[in-house]
Amino acid sequence: IDKTFEVVNSSNNKVVYTGEIKGSISNSTAGEINAYGDFSDLKAEGTYYIQTKNLGKSYEFKIGNNIYDSAFNDVVKMLYLQRCGCEIPADKGGDFAHPACHTSKATIYGTSTKIDVTGGWHDAGDYGRYVVPGAKTVADLFLAYEMNPSAFSDSTGIPESGNKVPDVLDEARYELEWMLKMQDKTSGGVYHKVTCANFPGMVMPQDEKDELIVSPVSVTATEDFAAVMA
């Protein structure tokens, strides 16, 4: 492993700091060697990258007093990029852009009944949509807005931006409207999730075209649904 590292100003590619790489350990879980280098003494504002002789360049990063100012907007925009059932255009989605996906009706597990459950957010690691984590996320958004409404803007760059409603509430509404579709109209219970039978692998959402399956009503989904709707 390299013994030293350099911090480089990306605007002029000049080395502004050289430090020592320390604490080398074997990370068997990841199958790699991990070490660290401390450049806390570098205080000048700017955009930088780290380089070493053998490992090449890192991603660029910033040093400054206001680098986290967009954190709230970034979180709301991330949820928008997880939207299912609608187009995410290139000018708003970048690498996450895709046409409308998962628009077909879904079959309720163990039956031949098909229902419309379009909408909602894709989950973290797949394109399934889950009532329980969705309800928890919406609850967190509501609590954050209730505690500090001035922190949230109407200009994060989602389709509803500029409608005089904070984008965080528009985004929560998108998920809640999907959750309403997940409620059984007879019993009032709520279906647990909608997914395909198998994980599709590393594909874009519009390329997952297997049959959509709605899991049975669950107590957990029903209770979380009732709580967040309240």
Side-chain angles (χ1 to χ4, degrees):
I1 192 169
D2 293 297
K3 300 296 184 182
T4 61
F5 69 93
E6 296 174 332
V7 181
V8 183
N9 188 320
S10 62
S11 66
N12 54 23
N13 293 318
K14 289 186 177 181
V15 175
V16 296
Y17 189 92
T18 300
E20 182 181 355
I21 297 175
K22 303 177 181 180
S24 177
I25 61 170
S26 174
N27 184 339
S28 58
T29 302
E32 62 188 18
I33 303 298
N34 296 149
Y36 72 92
D38 186 348
F39 55 97
S40 302
D41 292 337
L42 180 58
K43 308 291 187 183
E45 291 193 10
T47 302
Y48 304 92
Y49 60 86
I50 296 170
Q51 68 181 14
T52 72
K53 180 179 179 181
N54 295 316
L55 298 178
K57 298 180 180 180
S58 73
Y59 289 106
E60 291 186 352
F61 60 91
K62 292 182 179 180
I63 293 177
N65 293 319
N66 303 308
I67 59 175
Y68 298 116
D69 282 1
S70 64
F72 282 115
N73 284 348
D74 289 344
V75 169
V76 176
K77 189 66 178 289
M78 181 280 296
L79 291 169
Y80 165 66
L81 297 176
Q82 294 293 97
R83 285 189 186 185
C84 182
C86 68
E87 178 189 10
I88 305 296
D91 63 333
K92 295 184 182 298
D95 290 341
F96 292 87
H98 62 77
C101 59
H102 303 102
T103 56
S104 61
K105 287 187 175 182
T107 303
I108 299 175
Y109 181 79
T111 76
S112 60
T113 303
K114 294 182 179 292
I115 59 174
D116 171 26
V117 288
T118 52
W121 299 319
H122 296 136
D123 198 59
D126 58 60
Y127 298 130
R129 287 160 285 154
Y130 302 77
V131 169
V132 174
K136 175 63 168 65
T137 302
V138 171
D140 287 344
L141 295 179
F142 283 164
L143 288 170
Y145 180 77
E146 184 177 44
M147 294 176 68
N148 191 7
S150 64
F152 298 93
S153 75
D154 186 28
S155 58
T156 60
I158 67 174
E160 296 84 357
S161 293
N163 67 352
K164 303 186 187 309
V165 175
D167 287 346
V168 68
L169 300 184
D170 288 319
E171 199 57 59
R173 183 185 182 102
Y174 191 85
E175 179 74 355
L176 291 177
E177 288 178 343
W178 167 74
M179 288 173 62
L180 287 169
K181 296 180 180 180
M182 292 290 285
Q183 184 178 36
D184 177 60
K185 301 304 182 287
T186 301
S187 68
V190 180
Y191 300 111
H192 196 77
K193 66 174 182 176
V194 55
T195 66
C196 296
N198 297 297
F199 182 66
M202 305 301 289
V203 301
M204 291 296 287
Q206 69 272 18
D207 295 326
E208 184 182 45
K209 297 180 179 179
D210 289 349
E211 180 185 20
L212 293 170
I213 301 171
V214 178
S215 294
V217 166
S218 75
V219 172
T220 307
T222 304
E223 290 178 338
D224 284 11
F225 171 94
V228 76
M229 290 297 177

